[in-house]
Amino acid sequence: MSLSKRVKLRKNHQALSTSQIMLQVILACIPGIVALTVFFGWGTLINIIWLGLLALAFEALMLSLRQRQVIFYLKDYSALLTAVLLGICIPSTSPWWLGVIGIGFAIVIAKHLYGGLGQNLFNPAMVAYVVLLVAFPVEMTDWVVPRGSGTSPPDLLVSLQAFFSGDATGIDAYTGASAMDLFRNERGGMTITEFWQQNPAFGLLGGLGWEWVNLGFLFGGLWLLYKGIISWHIPFSMLAVMVLLAALFYDNGSSLSGGSPMMHLFSAGTMLGAFFIATDPVTAATTPRGKLIYGALIGITVYVIRVWGAYPDGIAFAVLLGNFAAPFIDYYTKLSVTQNEK
Amino acid sequence: MNELLLLLISAILVNNFVLVQFLGLCPFMGSSRKVETAIGMSAATTFVLTLSAMLSYLLYQYLLVPLELEWLRTITFIIVIAAIVNLTEIIMFATSPVLHRVLGIFLPLITSNCAVLGVALLNINAANSFSESVIFGFGAALGFSLVLVLFAALRERLELADVPLPFRGPAIAMITASLMSLSFMGFTGLI
Amino acid sequence: MSKSYQQLGTEGLWSNNPALVQLLGLCPLLAVSTSAVNALGLGLATIMVLSASNLCVSLVRHQVTETIRLPAFVLLIASFVTCAELLLQAYAYPLYLRIGIFIPLIVTNCTILGRAVSFASRNPVLPAFVDGIMMGLGFALVLLILGILREFFASGIIFANMELLLPFAENWEIRILPQYRGFLLAILPPGAFLFMGFLLALKNWIDNKMTVKQHNDEADILIRNTATK
């Protein structure tokens, strides 16, 4: 079976080719990217352009090393989508070398060592994100303080300086811990309402700025659903499980509370993860029941890591863990389907 | 009770034996080609591991320590493990030939699974109590089983991938293990 | 049956390398290779145990009957491991603490039992001893390469703290990249698997190149022969 056919079948959408699907997903990211740029400055756009160029270069290099048709495969936009997703995830103040290492891991190791498009076991963008987070925790948890909490984000010139200078010292004045980080580390026994009121990093629903970013990706995700490019199973079960867990451990907003369901839905990378990353057809489970289990597994892991783990957000880890379990989930759900048919 | 639960979770996820502590890698690479094989290996290992954690604790505390022969622990434990494996095989053969046919081929391999000896030694290093030792052994075995079975399903899919020539076989399996280990890093700090 | 010493050498170091080809002893290999000094310590201990056990197994090979073969060999190996453990405790205690339970776990390094059963129990004393040294060396070299690589990528330094093992090696530390930021992942568990994966791929790649070259050489000879005719 050819690759584009497989993607088509998996997406259950006969009319679109791989490149059209990839392009649609990239376009659906735009509302979220706009929100990121408004609240956190030009950095995200710089990231996306730089990572996009790098991804095309690495992709071309790997394709020619593996003696494939370079131009033919470059036109499927899959490398570009990986770059866009990674560019959204890494902090907007990232220096240039962070992208080189990240895209290197994504395209070379996570994608082409497994045979390229359609055959990778793990989501390339998330592999890159986790590698960077584990290897460079300082650079990767330094976020620009969002517009509206006293300061305005750095302008284009400052952003470019931070990008080229290779370290974040020039931009220190603009950065701090993100809302989820503060929530985990700086709460010091306050109740949810107290903390919310005292801390300018929070808005109406979740982290200030982050709530708009999440609304943007929710909008893009719903559009993808409407277009039939993704199915509802994974985002639904992932978000439902997160809401359920958050409600279960909300504890009336006491000092031991794990945070409100709203905060978990509209902070950090929840919506991006649910609609754009967990739904990657190649690395997710494929049967409808399998997708529900897969989404639920990711939802549980995200919540557990956010509330009890050491890392600020669990989306990337949870997606990798889901990728890891997906073939087994498929194995099990396909088995029970065939048994039922008998 | 709560502490035992935390110990269990820690042994399964946070300090997973295969992906974080590098114990039991030989069966992890060796018997993960098929999901059925992996399930059989997991069941046999879980049984032996829990039992040997129990017995080696008792022997160490009530035989070696009173006689001041702690330095003989490595030899003692490996004898205990070999004996358990042999006994299991004999009992299984006598009572349940079906189970023996399924798990029998895995039993001899368990003697050289360093996770089994590792659990016995780690229990002593951490000065665990009897119940802690048993739970730790059981958790380690569950963690091993979880990763082994998931990895087997992953490898069945990997067989179909068009992997570059030098990376075929063990090399790509190692890199896959690396990415799996990466996803387990997320549990850092959980306990 | 008997092999030349040169054959034993190439088998242990390359074509039948315990770590790269037989994939045995992976646990200590990946766990201890976080730095060159740890790797060297465990490598030396493994060489010692492997050669000693091969020697003794070969000595008693006619006395040990088939039924008690495995338990007897395991006991023999466990005794040597205990010796190595006590020696390391006595002369390099800080290093012993760093390597931890992987010293007693040499017992379950399948390489050692494997060589005892498949080689030492069927061969005279001297070849068995040489085989033990060569296999041990093959294992230790891979361990050391992995240790140096991971230490370098994580910190830009190699051979740090060598004096823990060798008292005279106090100034062996080499800082290769002074301004290096450090790639922490290399000494974490995922790094171990990753570097080992690349090492295996490198071995395959070299092997492939060599077979291609061999084929080409054979073809050349064939062409030359037909041309002279």
Side-chain angles (χ1 to χ4, degrees), chain A residues 53-65 70 73-80 82 103 106-108 111-112 116-117:
Chain A
L53 291 174
L54 279 173
L56 292 178
F58 272 109
E59 179 92 356
L61 178 74
M62 285 313 285
L63 286 169
S64 60
L65 274 179
V70 176
Y73 281 105
L74 271 188
K75 276 197 277 188
D76 65 24
Y77 296 119
S78 64
L80 215 54
T82 301
I103 287 292
I107 301 290
V108 178
K111 189 174 179 190
H112 279 287
L117 177 66

Side-chain angles (χ1 to χ4, degrees), chain C residues 157-219:
Chain C
I157 299 171
I158 53 173
F159 299 121
N161 299 319
M162 282 304 268
E163 70 276 7
L164 290 180
L165 182 67
L166 312 165
F168 52 86
E170 257 178 44
N171 301 321
W172 280 24
E173 182 176 309
I174 306 169
R175 186 174 289 272
I176 297 178
L177 297 175
Q179 294 277 300
Y180 191 55
R181 196 177 287 267
F183 188 59
L184 190 63
L185 191 78
I187 49 167
L188 293 173
F193 287 110
L194 192 72
F195 280 83
M196 187 63 193
F198 274 95
L199 221 54
L200 287 173
L202 182 69
K203 162 113 189 3
N204 286 344
W205 185 75
I206 294 174
D207 276 348
N208 288 344
K209 284 270 161 204
M210 295 218 304
T211 29
V212 169
K213 191 167 172 286
Q214 211 174 356
H215 280 301
N216 286 348
D217 287 350
E218 276 165 17

Side-chain angles (χ1 to χ4, degrees), chain C residues 41-42 44-50 77-92 96 103-104 106:
Chain C
L42 186 78
L44 290 178
T46 308
I47 295 178
M48 203 193 94
V49 173
L50 188 50
I77 295 169
S79 321
F80 283 118
V81 169
T82 307
C83 293
E85 205 182 339
L86 294 175
L87 272 176
L88 213 64
Q89 245 171 0
Y91 293 105
Y96 171 80
I103 292 286
I106 296 177

